[in-house]
Amino acid sequence: QVTLKESGPGILQPSQTLSLTCTFSGFSLSTYGMGVGWIRQPSGKGLEWLANIWWDDDKYYNPSLKNRLTISKDTSNNQAFLKITNVDTADTATYYCARMNIGTTTGVMDAWGQGASVTVSS
Amino acid sequence: DIQMTQSPASLSASLGETVSIECLASEDIYSYLAWYQQKPGKSPQLLIYAANRLQDGVPSRFSGSGSGTQYSLKISGMQPEDEGDYFCLQGSKFPWTFGGGTKLELK
């Protein structure tokens, strides 16, 4: 059974760096075809894809966040991470991590965490 | 970026009614199209991938079709548990982009 869980600071101030952790089980990020993606959703709004990291350490970012994103992984501890620098109120959202599997579902997100709520406020 | 135009933004369906939701891509996405269902306060759940492949465990009343730039999700026989928000996602080209969503309610 694949499970993922996001953790983050909850609240942070403008200009700070948001650090999110995705702890997962049921798959390994060292296995061919596996990946973890990050997606966010402001309250009552739609979904925005942020970044992906793959088993071979290939990374992709959404350019709309203008180089503020860094995605990484710790394969030994089954974790993936996302950092967003210089946050502002527009970054207030629920942040999801999700598993991707090229081998079975062509790489789209097929299992999601419960989401971590992040509020940016002074 | 590839724009995904999803329609309608909302709809209301009766029990047993067949429902269709559309996504139009701004360029060919070669069937790299997925559909998700999201219920209030919950994370999205994958329904369809590769335009027409049913994810394991998803009821067969859900189906997907389309190619090129035009895709659709069909629910054959609306059930109460089908209420929620539906999103399409294109995974053809980075940045991946979602449709704006469709809110489906039971009439």
Side-chain angles (χ1 to χ4, degrees), chain B residues 4-5 12-13 29 32 39-41 43-44 49 53 78-80 84 92 100:
Chain B
M4 300 300 294
T5 303
S12 183
I29 57 171
Y32 284 95
K39 298 190 178 182
S43 56
Y49 63 95
R53 304 286 295 274
M78 174 76 180
Q79 298 299 308
S92 173

Side-chain angles (χ1 to χ4, degrees), chain A residues 53-81:
Chain A
I53 189 165
W54 296 95
W55 79 99
D56 58 359
D57 211 37
D58 218 1
K59 301 167 188 173
Y60 296 88
Y61 296 102
N62 192 327
S64 71
L65 276 83
K66 296 186 174 72
N67 302 317
R68 297 169 53 216
L69 300 176
T70 303
I71 193 169
S72 60
K73 61 184 170 71
D74 179 349
T75 302
S76 300
N77 289 305
N78 285 342
Q79 292 182 314
F81 310 96

Side-chain angles (χ1 to χ4, degrees), chain B residues 10-12 20 28-29 48-49 51 57 72 90 93 99:
Chain B
S10 65
L11 77 159
S12 183
S20 286
D28 195 327
I29 57 171
I48 301 285
Y49 63 95
S72 63
Q90 71 81 15
K93 186 184 289 187

Side-chain angles (χ1 to χ4, degrees), chain B residues 1-86:
Chain B
D1 298 3
I2 297 177
Q3 306 302 314
M4 300 300 294
T5 303
Q6 187 172 339
S7 61
S10 65
L11 77 159
S12 183
S14 302
L15 196 65
E17 183 178 346
T18 293
V19 170
S20 286
I21 300 169
E22 313 288 324
C23 262
L24 178 65
S26 59
E27 62 184 81
D28 195 327
I29 57 171
Y30 305 100
S31 296
Y32 284 95
L33 191 285
W35 290 98
Y36 294 88
Q37 177 195 64
Q38 185 178 31
K39 298 190 178 182
K42 300 294 186 182
S43 56
Q45 301 292 310
L46 178 64
L47 300 173
I48 301 285
Y49 63 95
N52 59 17
R53 304 286 295 274
L54 191 68
Q55 172 67 340
D56 290 346
V58 174
S60 59
R61 63 180 179 274
F62 291 91
S63 62
S65 63
S67 62
T69 62
Q70 295 185 294
Y71 299 86
S72 63
L73 173 72
K74 185 166 75 172
I75 307 173
S76 300
M78 174 76 180
Q79 298 299 308
E81 60 267 31
D82 298 337
E83 281 194 312
D85 295 326
Y86 291 79

Side-chain angles (χ1 to χ4, degrees), chain A residues 15-32:
Chain A
S15 81
Q16 290 186 319
T17 295
L18 169 60
S19 294
L20 295 163
T21 298
C22 176
T23 303
F24 54 85
S25 63
F27 69 100
S28 172
L29 257 182
S30 62
T31 299
Y32 175 87

